[in-house]
């Protein structure tokens, strides 16, 4: 059973946030920066954040040309461009909160590889650039076909390449470690190994790992930033898990490219990490099968990544796979983040879809607006 001391000092807070991914931590930091006296607790089920934030590819991106065109078709010009703006604002807020050196920030820019199937997108560069003028002030995209061969890509498969100078890459692990340290520096308490099972008004219920009892944390304000896992706690929230699989290859001496690269409306993505290549995606090969919260591999997707690596990205280059992993994203129907106050007064914030590293610092501000 809990001791008198534990009950006296460990259970009462102004604000409890569930989930220590980038959104939960950014929200905690945003509140503490604005209201330094607030006593904030973050509860995390895993030994590390265990969803998407420490599993992603480390792109600071706002949407590739074909992805923006697909978004315009899905939700209209205004919503699609607003989302790009939020991602861009989020990237800049993240850079204000975390020093570039402390997240491995490198601004080599971003590229999209366009194959024959997507070729018509090239004719729409000017149209999309004009829509994005208000955000970037200059053209966001330009053709860079001359780099296809320079980077060693297979020019039989890749017909065009579109460059954006506004995209960058980070070291995801370093960024998250720095964000955790910054939150702790601000005085935010983080408890790991605390899986929240239920909520009552102003109460957050965790099953104690080693004792046969519930631990009930109390707070004026409760915020859930549990992304893909939200529907377990709030079935009324519509969020679908989507698994992402990633492989990393051992360093290649003289790797020919630097930057972040998108392919096929962003369903595939690769980048250099020094002289390594990190390559992920392929969820679109089996949308239904990848709607899972399981951190397992889908061999047919791994096989597809390997085949694209060999035939398109590193043709004729010897390489060795060093490691692979999976992470779980959360998707809303219209790909827009969603913040709701639930029946038991919890502010539930989902989900940054496939671009939460870019978006989270901005969405954290929107969450704080919900707090009276
Ligand atoms: C393979 C992959 C590549 C990606 N690449 C990029 C990229 O390059 N750029 C980009 O911007 N975005 C990328 N993303 C998306 C990005 O990582 C996510 O949008 C972002 O991390 C979401 O952050 P979050 O804090 O909302 O969710 P999460 O990081 O999933 O955090 C949710 C947290 O809640 C915890 N939790 C859940 N339920 C409970 C509970 N009941 N009790 C306690 N804790 C709980 C989980 O353990 C988890 O730590 C990628 C994602 C993946 C998987």
């Amino acid at each position: 059973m809990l001791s008198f001391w534990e009950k006296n000092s460990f259970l009462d807070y102004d604000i409890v946030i569930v989930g220590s991914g980038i959104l939960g931590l950014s929200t905690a930091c945003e509140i503490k920066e604005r209201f330094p006296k607030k006593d904030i607790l973050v509860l995390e089920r895993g030994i590390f954040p265990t969803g998407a934030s420490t599993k992603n590819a480390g792109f600071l991106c706002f949407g590739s040309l074909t992805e923006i065109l697909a978004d315009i078709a899905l939700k209209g010009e205004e919503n699609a461009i607003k989302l790009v703006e939020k991602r861009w604002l989020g990237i800049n807020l993240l850079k204000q909160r975390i020093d570039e050196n402390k997240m491995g920030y490198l601004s080599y820019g971003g590229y999209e590889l366009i194959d024959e199937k997507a070729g018509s997108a090239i004719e729409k560069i000017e149209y999309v650039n004009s829509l994005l003028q208000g955000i970037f002030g200059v053209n966001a995209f330009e053709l860079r076909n001359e780099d296809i061969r320079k980077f060693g890509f297979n020019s039989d498969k890749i017909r065009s390449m579109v460059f954006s100078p506004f995209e960058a890459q980070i070291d995801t692990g370093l960024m998250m470690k720095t964000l955790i340290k910054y939150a702790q520096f601000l005085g935010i308490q983080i408890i790991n190994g605390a899986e929240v099972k239920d909520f009552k008004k102003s109460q957050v219920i965790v099953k104690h790992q080693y004792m046969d009892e519930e631990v009930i944390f109390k707070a004026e304000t409760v915020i859930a930033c549990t992304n893909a896992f939200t529907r377990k706690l709030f079935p009324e929230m519509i969020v679908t898990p989507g698994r992402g699989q990633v492989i990393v290859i051992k360093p290649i001496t003289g790797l020919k490219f630097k930057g972040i690269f998108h392919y096929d409306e962003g369903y595939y993505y690769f980048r250099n990490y020094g002289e390594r290549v990190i390559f992920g995606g392929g969820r679109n090969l089996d949308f239904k099968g990848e709607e899972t919260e399981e951190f397992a591999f889908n061999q047919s997707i791994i096989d597809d990544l390997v085949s694209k690596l060999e035939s398109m990205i590193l043709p004729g280059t010897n390489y060795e796979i060093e490691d692979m992993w999976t992470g779980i994203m959360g998707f809303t129907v219209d790909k827009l983040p969603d913040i709701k106050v639930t029946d038991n007064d919890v502010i539930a914030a989902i989900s940054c879809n496939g671009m939460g590293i870019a978006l989270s610092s901005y969405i954290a501000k929107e969450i704080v607006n919900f707090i009276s």
Side-chain angles (χ1 to χ4, degrees):
M1 68 186 64
L2 295 185
S3 70
F4 167 78
W5 309 116
E6 288 162 341
K7 287 178 193 157
N8 242 10
S9 292
F10 282 81
L11 298 181
D12 285 329
Y13 298 86
D14 295 319
I15 295 174
V16 169
I17 296 175
V18 185
S20 76
I22 187 169
L23 188 58
L25 292 176
S26 303
T27 303
C29 293
E30 183 70 32
I31 298 169
K32 197 75 179 166
E33 286 161 356
R34 279 161 66 171
F35 311 103
K37 292 200 175 128
K38 293 276 181 204
D39 194 9
I40 304 176
L41 170 69
V42 177
L43 293 170
E44 166 58 48
R45 63 180 186 167
I47 180 170
F48 307 126
T50 308
S53 298
T54 50
K55 312 280 190 190
N56 58 71
F59 285 30
L60 286 187
C61 55
F62 55 84
S64 68
L65 176 69
T66 62
E67 191 172 359
I68 292 171
L69 287 168
D71 280 355
I72 292 172
L74 178 72
K75 49 189 170 243
E77 263 180 19
E78 198 184 326
N79 280 331
I81 300 311
K82 193 94 204 120
L83 187 56
V84 171
E85 186 177 22
K86 288 182 179 185
R87 289 170 180 154
W88 180 239
L89 290 169
I91 288 171
N92 288 299
L93 289 167
L94 180 66
K95 286 168 67 182
Q96 280 168 28
R97 185 167 282 135
I98 300 186
D99 189 86
E100 290 185 2
N101 296 324
K102 292 193 175 149
M103 60 172 165
Y105 176 89
L106 292 167
S107 57
Y108 299 133
Y111 299 79
E112 178 166 22
L113 280 60
I114 309 276
D115 59 13
E116 200 165 349
K117 191 179 67 168
S120 62
I122 296 299
E123 292 151 28
K124 298 191 176 134
I125 291 184
E126 258 182 56
Y127 157 67
V128 175
N129 275 340
S130 70
L131 292 177
L132 300 181
Q133 274 290 330
I135 301 172
F136 298 104
V138 293
N139 285 344
F141 296 117
E142 66 190 54
L143 261 187
R144 278 287 179 86
N145 290 350
E146 64 276 18
D147 287 344
I148 297 173
R149 281 171 190 278
K150 198 171 108 192
F151 289 169
F153 302 148
N154 184 343
S155 55
D156 290 339
K157 290 193 182 280
I158 303 307
R159 294 302 169 87
S160 309
M161 207 153 66
V162 179
F163 174 69
S164 175
F166 295 103
E167 295 195 326
Q169 55 181 273
I170 56 166
D171 178 327
T172 291
L174 184 59
M175 181 277 291
M176 282 298 289
K177 199 170 164 185
T178 306
L179 189 56
I180 290 168
K181 280 188 184 167
Y182 175 63
Q184 288 166 336
F185 165 78
L186 291 178
I188 294 160
Q189 191 183 344
I190 303 171
I191 300 182
N192 289 78
E195 180 167 5
V196 171
K197 297 290 185 193
D198 205 358
F199 298 91
K200 294 204 175 108
K201 277 219 175 355
S202 307
Q203 292 188 351
V204 182
I205 300 159
V206 174
K207 167 90 185 61
H208 199 294
Q209 280 174 306
Y210 300 111
M211 291 179 193
D212 188 22
E213 68 180 295
E214 286 175 341
V215 181
I216 301 177
F217 294 95
K218 294 192 193 108
E220 278 164 27
T221 306
V222 179
I223 304 170
C225 295
T226 43
N227 203 28
F229 312 94
T230 305
R231 62 184 185 172
K232 264 192 197 158
L233 298 166
F234 305 106
E236 71 271 26
M237 298 288 287
I238 300 174
V239 55
T240 308
R243 182 168 57 192
Q245 311 189 44
V246 184
I247 56 181
V248 53
I249 65 163
K250 288 188 176 168
I252 294 176
T253 309
L255 182 71
K256 290 182 182 154
F257 57 83
K258 281 181 181 157
I260 62 169
F261 295 83
H262 313 264
Y263 175 65
D264 197 3
E265 292 178 14
Y267 283 114
Y268 295 86
Y269 40 88
F270 64 94
R271 57 171 283 185
N272 76 299
Y273 177 75
E275 293 196 313
R276 288 179 169 84
V277 178
I278 294 174
F279 182 30
R283 201 170 50 86
N284 53 334
L285 290 184
D286 183 5
F287 276 124
K288 264 281 156 246
E290 295 306 290
E291 278 183 15
T292 170
E293 292 163 20
E294 296 297 315
F295 289 87
F297 292 105
N298 176 335
Q299 193 54 45
S300 61
I301 292 181
I302 297 292
D303 292 345
D304 176 65
L305 291 175
V306 169
S307 143
K308 287 197 168 50
L309 195 59
E310 285 172 5
S311 65
M312 193 171 85
I313 302 167
L314 294 171
T317 306
N318 289 326
Y319 73 90
E320 230 182 299
I321 293 178
E322 180 173 332
D323 207 352
M324 54 179 85
W325 69 85
T326 60
I328 312 294
M329 291 165 273
F331 290 93
T332 51
V333 179
D334 54 8
K335 287 173 72 185
L336 297 170
D338 192 11
I339 308 171
K340 281 198 176 72
V341 181
T342 66
D343 292 345
N344 39 19
D345 272 351
V346 176
I347 301 169
I350 47 160
S351 84
C352 295
N353 294 284
M355 277 188 219
I357 302 308
L359 262 174
S360 290
S361 310
Y362 180 83
I363 302 302
K365 283 192 179 289
E366 290 193 343
I367 295 171
V368 178
N369 292 337
F370 274 69
I371 301 173
S372 52

